[in-house]
Structure formats: structure tokens, C-alpha cells
Amino acid sequence: MLIDTTLREGAQLFGAYFSMEARERIVSGLLSIGVDEIELGWVGQEGLDELVRAIGKRRGRTALSVWSPCREADIRKAAGLEVDRINIGVPVSDLHIRNRLRIDREGLLERLARTVLAARLLGMDYVSVGLEDLSRADPDFALRVAGLAQDVGAARVRLSDSLGLLTPVKTAQTVATFKKALTIDLAVHCHDDFGMATGNAVTALAGGADFADASLLGIGERSGIAATEELAAYLTLKEESHAYKVENLRDLCHFVSQAAGVPIPRTKAIAGKDIFACESGLHAHALSKSPELFEPFDPSRIGADRMVAVGGKSGRAAVAHALARRGLELPEQRLTVLVDEVRKLAWELERPLTEVELTKLVEN
């Protein structure tokens, strides 16, 4: 199941500032996709209470949550919000415990127990504890923290690879270890510093994790985290284990791109404009016969269009098919000449030809 944290992790992206209107539109889009949980922001964030009220009963089956540091004062603030879950962050590496919190391991355990108990006493039924910087922590101590969280009433433990250091293999091993030790829900939060976030998240879910964090376009601190659109599409179209409404993903990604000031590469998985574009002669010819030969799924499933163009890499079959789509057919000799002209012009322009440019070549 997916926890979308575009409005918490994503909002921490350098230079990203979401207006209230943008935040409401992102939530509406996520609700239409059917993500399982939306992390709306962090305790103390400006406008958070207003956003929660604006969503109201529109949430349907989607759970709403907020993030909080491991402090009782912040827990009390969170209790005043009409959300379903609270995600408490607690660092488990000695580097963070010592240099950031200025306490020792025993002090951390005491603080965690006190904070989770306070949350439960304040009526929060679903408390999630995020183990931050897990990949640099002492594994035995991290397990001890997770076990304590479970013992004092947490409903979920979230494993955070805060610096994106894990590989899929290591992720699978880590999930298996914690899954064996716990009876409560298990989630992962995978950063993308080495480009493995989505792969690690998929691996974690396949290995028994109940939830995976993600954000639209994968935006977040530094290189960001696993991408919502990639996970939702994979789980729906490839694994067929979920039924997210993936036809709405691309429009929402493009809105987030504009709102956050993050351009979408034209080859970006799921969201890019050219992911179903083809110029190569062999592939273009094959697509004309059987699209599934070189496409992982029908473009229409995600609201995309197939685009086949001729250019410097096109052969006779591809050019002939392009003409056939226009109801045209040329003799072999003229077709050979046209192929040469298509390649020549494409190399001069350094791109495939447009429909108008191809038509002009044919007319000439």
C-alpha cells in the first residue's frame, strides 16, 4: 500500500513552496488515484489545520496522517488535528542520537516510550514510528527501538533509509529481519541518492512490507524518494496487486511539476512526454504490427499517446508505413529516394520529422 508524502517529504524540496490551492489540488488528485494514505505535512506547518478541514469527508477510504518529531509538545498539537494517523520520527543511528538529539541510547528509548504513550492517551489509535537513518544504525539497537515501539502501542514501524544507502538486496534482508521480529504493520521510506528508491520500495513490498512511502515525481530532500506514479503504475499494471486509477497520474505529475518548479525529463518513467515515442526503424516497424513487442503496457492505460515518427534512424519499412497511414504508396524507386531524403533532413534538423515536413518531402 502507498503512503503519499508529496506534501511532507515533497514540500521539503529545496525551493518548493505549495500554496493552499496547490495543496488542495494535490490532495484531490491523490484521492482520485486512490492512494492508501496521504501524509499531509508536519506538525506546526503553516496552514495544516486549514488543509485538514478543507478535505473533510472527501477522504473516503484514504487515511490522513501528519508527521511529528518525537516530542510530547508536538504530539499534543497533532492530537488537535482531525487526522487518522500520526507518524513520529525518531533517529536510530548513534550519529544522530549523539550529535542531533544530544542524548544517549537509553535516553532515546525513554523519550520514545513516553511520546508514544502520550499519543495513545490523547486518543490517537494509529501511531507510526519512523526509524530515521536506519541504514547507518546498529541493527540490534534498531530492532530494540522497533520492539519498544510495538510494546508501548505503536501500530506501525517505518524503516527510513534516510541517505539512500540501501540496495534492493539489502532492503529485502532488512525487511525480512523486521517482519520476523514484529507483529504490527511495517513501512519503508526509501531515498533516491543513488537512484534506487523506487526499486527498493518495490522490493520491500514484495518482501512483506505493508506500506511504502512515495511522492509525486519522487520529489523531496536532495534527490528525493520513491516516485508515487512509478509505484502505483507498477503495482497496478505489472503486478496487478492493486487497482490505483493510474490514468490520472500524468496530469497530477504535470501539475506538481509546475507547482514545485521541477521540469519533467521527456523520458521520465510514466510522466515523460516521449516514453511512447519511437523513431528507430526496427522498433517503429514492429510497433505498426504488434505494439506489445516494444511496449510494457498500452499507453492509454496512463492517459498517454503512442508517437511514431520517421527520421535519421528510419528504414524503408518505417517510411512506407508512415505513408500508408496517410493512404499513400510509392513505387520502390521513389520510396528509396524518399528514405534518403528523410534521413538527410532529419540529420540536418537533428530530430525526427514532423507530419508537415514528411508531407512536403513526399510532394517534392
Side-chain angles (χ1 to χ4, degrees), residues 170-185:
K170 185 61 177 177
T171 297
Q173 294 170 347
T174 302
V175 167
T177 298
F178 279 84
K179 192 70 178 176
K180 183 178 180 180
L182 301 173
T183 59
I184 57 177
D185 289 343

Side-chain angles (χ1 to χ4, degrees), residues 246-247 250 270-273 275-276 297-307:
V246 294
E247 63 272 17
R250 285 167 61 88
I270 308 303
K273 71 180 182 67
I275 58 173
F276 288 102
F297 51 85
D298 189 322
S300 64
R301 295 290 305 274
I302 60 169
D305 296 312
R306 181 181 301 116
M307 181 173 66

